[in-house]
Amino acid sequence: MVSSTEPTTIGEAHGPSGFLPERIVHVHPTRLCNLACLHCYSTSDPGQRGGLDPDDLTGALGVLRAEGYTVVSLSGGEPLVYKPLATIVDRAHELGFRVTMISNGLLVERSLPLLSRLDGIAISFDGLAERHDRMRGREGAFAAASAALERLASLGAPVGAAISLTRSGIAELPDLADHLAGLGARSLQIRPVARAGRARSLADSTFHEAADRARLYLVALALDHELPDVRVHCDLAPAEGLWEQRDAYVGLLGDGGETPSDERPLADLVNPLVVTDTGVLKPIAYDFDPRFDIAAVPTTSSDGLRRYKGDGPVPFRDLVGAALAGMRGRSDLVDWFDHCTRLSEARQPTAIALL
């Protein structure tokens, strides 16, 4: 187990890092969940057991804070069923992290004292009531999630909604957005359902083709205009625009200037960073191919990450470089992080120098 004492920071990370405005650690402390959603990327359900040791996790977070990360985003499974959750939230705050969470909303009422200590919370939705309940496998799940969002908003909590949509769910988005805004949602994070985890067993018609992605993107743009008091973000982006903003990956793909890569914050190279329920540190996504694993929570240390930064990022750098090069000249829309995750499953990404 690594030490959880206050870390010595390598250096303040600054500038863009991987198309994200903040440097984020996505923590999945458990795969235990009170639902078994049809599209769950982590295949969480009520039958799961185990989870991260809180001492090991908070020790690793101390190291990662020193590596330039500023936000801990809690997911799962359902974070509110993880018994040591309050310990993680409090220790992350002590380390200087902002702490946010995504929840299905079913346990919000009994968890209000803990939720009041968060810097942000998103309740997840998959469409209007019939679709949401079908995807969640529980009648009344939509009503419960809606009540949770409204309750948090009434208390002044910084609450929003995380919306995952199948292809056929796009038509419901305007009415869903109006509903959530009326409940007090401050933000809407919209994305297509990814072909990951349990969703891999869904029919091909579930997933978005190019025309569907364009329609979803345009609806999100319209909602952003129509709901001026709600921040609307869609995880889709124009491919050519990603190419034009490739400097966001200068930390990973650039030459590093006068600072050797092993002395740079990991947050400059890998963002977001994911911590799985088994304690594996991965780039970008929960299901990123194991060939790109970075470290393990119980043994995470500054020295170990320094060795990774010296040698380990090469395959990840090559994958991201090839993915960015593939955006040049394209006219479609891309879910960037899911795109990179699917590319990680390929055997031989091509190394391409971009910066």
Side-chain angles (χ1 to χ4, degrees):
M1 181 172 61
V2 296
S3 170
S4 60
T5 57
E6 192 70 22
T8 300
T9 303
I10 290 174
E12 285 302 319
H14 60 278
S17 179
F19 298 132
L20 291 175
E22 298 186 270
R23 287 155 165 79
I24 301 173
V25 183
H26 288 297
V27 178
H28 299 73
T30 180
R31 283 173 55 220
L32 177 62
C33 188
N34 45 7
L35 296 174
C37 301
L38 297 179
H39 60 318
C40 180
Y41 62 85
S42 63
T43 61
S44 298
D45 61 51
Q48 299 298 324
R49 295 294 181 267
L52 291 174
D53 179 275
D55 291 331
D56 286 347
L57 177 56
T58 55
L61 290 177
V63 177
L64 295 175
R65 182 69 186 96
E67 291 287 342
Y69 293 97
T70 58
V71 177
V72 168
S73 174
L74 296 160
S75 186
E78 169 54 48
L80 292 176
V81 304
Y82 177 64
K83 291 183 179 179
L85 186 63
T87 298
I88 303 304
V89 171
D90 291 344
R91 181 58 180 143
H93 276 143
E94 291 169 6
L95 290 166
F97 285 104
R98 293 179 57 250
V99 183
T100 65
M101 180 188 297
I102 183 168
S103 169
N104 60 37
L106 298 185
L107 301 176
V108 160
E109 190 63 37
R110 78 179 196 188
S111 307
L112 290 174
L114 172 59
L115 295 176
S116 69
R117 309 208 291 270
L118 296 176
D119 300 290
I121 181 168
I123 306 299
S124 55
F125 289 86
D126 306 317
L128 295 173
E130 181 180 354
R131 184 181 307 276
H132 180 93
D133 289 358
R134 184 171 67 252
M135 295 295 289
R136 302 292 165 121
R138 179 177 297 189
E139 185 177 355
F142 180 83
S146 297
L149 194 157
E150 185 173 34
R151 175 74 163 130
L152 289 166
S154 72
L155 297 173
V159 62
I163 303 170
S164 297
L165 291 175
T166 61
R167 177 195 291 181
S168 58
I170 299 173
E172 296 181 4
L173 181 54
D175 287 342
L176 177 62
D178 286 343
H179 170 73
L180 298 174
L183 296 177
R186 299 186 187 181
S187 63
L188 305 177
Q189 181 89 14
I190 303 164
R191 68 168 303 176
V193 165
R195 197 185 295 265
R198 195 175 288 122
R200 292 180 186 272
S201 64
L202 297 175
D204 286 344
S205 59
T206 301
F207 304 101
H208 296 63
E209 302 292 344
D212 306 305
R213 291 191 293 271
R215 187 158 60 104
L216 179 59
Y217 184 75
L218 290 173
V219 172
L221 286 179
L223 290 172
D224 190 43
H225 177 73
E226 294 171 5
L227 301 171
D229 297 327
V230 179
R231 184 181 66 83
V232 179
H233 175 81
C234 182
D235 282 1
L236 295 170
E240 182 68 21
L242 294 173
W243 165 256
E244 292 172 354
Q245 297 174 57
R246 60 192 180 277
D247 281 353
Y249 277 96
V250 67
L252 179 65
L253 302 176
D255 61 16
E258 298 178 356
T259 305
S261 61
D262 62 352
E263 295 181 12
R264 306 184 72 186
L266 182 65
D268 275 359
L269 310 177
V270 179
N271 190 34
L273 180 74
V274 175
V275 181
T276 73
D277 58 291
T278 59
V280 178
L281 274 62
K282 291 176 172 284
I284 291 186
Y286 182 92
D287 59 328
F288 217 81
D289 192 90
R291 292 178 299 133
F292 299 89
D293 290 354
I294 295 168
V297 161
T299 56
T300 298
S301 67
S302 298
D303 287 343
L305 293 181
R306 185 177 297 110
R307 288 191 293 273
Y308 170 81
K309 290 182 288 184
D311 300 316
V314 173
F316 181 59
R317 181 198 65 200
D318 290 349
L319 181 146
V320 171
L324 277 172
M327 299 295 105
R328 189 175 188 179
R330 286 176 54 168
S331 58
D332 59 334
L333 293 150
V334 175
D335 182 342
W336 170 252
F337 294 119
D338 184 62
H339 177 72
C340 289
T341 304
R342 304 285 75 81
L343 284 180
S344 78
E345 299 166 353
R347 293 293 94 185
Q348 295 293 335
T350 303
I352 297 178
L354 297 179
L355 299 170

